[in-house]
Amino acid sequence: MKRSKRLQVVLDLAERKRKQADQWLSQAQGKVQQGEGTLAQLQGYYTDYANNFYQVGASGISPGQIHTHQAFMQKLRVAVEQQENALRIDREQLERVTAHWQSAYQHFKSVEMLVDKLKGQESKEADRQLQKELDERSQLIRPPLI
């Protein structure tokens, strides 16, 4: 069996690992994008609620409303902090997945180049063998005597 055919199994495995890494990378990127969107929404909601409350508060509000507002704003701040932490973790995970993807892609390309090189060598060897056989046959054929 030719070396290139034997290495084809390794290439197929490397390609499967690369495709798996592609999927993980895509999922990690999607998770970061989703987290960024959620954070932006929370921050926007926090800003809008605070501005709205201050506008309404200018006309006078009760101490109970102030307490309720402060409690809600605190919950929003906690939610923003939690989302920022989750986003930081997701970004770190994305960095690790990106490094894994680069490694898998590099390995796949290396094996692919090796298989291509071996196929080229095997093709040249087959051409040389064919030429050798043709040369040997041409020497065996005797020209007719005139």
Side-chain angles (χ1 to χ4, degrees):
M1 178 182 265
K2 293 182 179 182
R3 286 179 59 194
S4 64
K5 289 220 185 260
R6 289 190 310 245
L7 278 177
Q8 188 64 41
V9 173
V10 176
L11 180 62
D12 292 343
L13 180 61
E15 184 175 16
R16 264 189 265 137
K17 286 184 179 183
R18 182 190 54 85
K19 286 181 180 179
Q20 180 71 42
D22 287 347
Q23 290 176 343
W24 289 343
L25 181 63
S26 176
Q27 289 170 352
Q29 288 171 334
K31 195 170 183 180
V32 167
Q33 287 175 346
Q34 183 181 12
E36 288 171 345
T38 301
L39 180 61
Q41 285 179 331
L42 283 171
Q43 289 171 332
Y45 188 61
Y46 180 86
T47 302
D48 290 345
Y49 186 78
N51 290 338
N52 187 30
F53 184 78
Y54 294 131
Q55 288 173 356
V56 170
S59 62
I61 54 174
S62 70
Q65 289 174 318
I66 291 175
H67 179 68
T68 303
H69 167 74
Q70 287 175 337
F72 184 70
M73 292 297 288
Q74 178 60 29
K75 287 182 182 180
L76 277 176
R77 277 192 292 274
V78 168
V80 167
E81 288 174 9
Q82 288 174 342
Q83 185 60 35
E84 286 172 340
N85 288 336
L87 185 57
R88 180 183 46 77
I89 291 168
D90 290 343
R91 285 181 175 147
E92 290 169 357
Q93 179 67 20
L94 176 59
E95 287 177 19
R96 288 189 295 274
V97 169
T98 300
H100 173 73
W101 175 83
Q102 287 172 337
S103 173
Y105 184 79
Q106 221 171 9
H107 176 72
F108 169 74
K109 280 300 189 183
S110 297
V111 173
E112 184 179 49
M113 286 173 45
L114 179 61
V115 169
D116 289 345
K117 180 180 174 184
L118 288 174
K119 283 181 180 179
Q121 289 173 348
E122 290 166 355
S123 176
K124 287 179 183 178
E125 182 60 35
D127 289 346
R128 279 194 292 263
Q129 184 64 30
L130 178 62
Q131 186 61 47
K132 180 181 173 184
E133 289 174 10
L134 289 174
D135 290 346
E136 288 175 357
R137 286 183 185 169
S138 68
Q139 290 177 359
L140 294 177
I141 300 176
R142 294 185 185 178
L145 292 174
I146 301 185

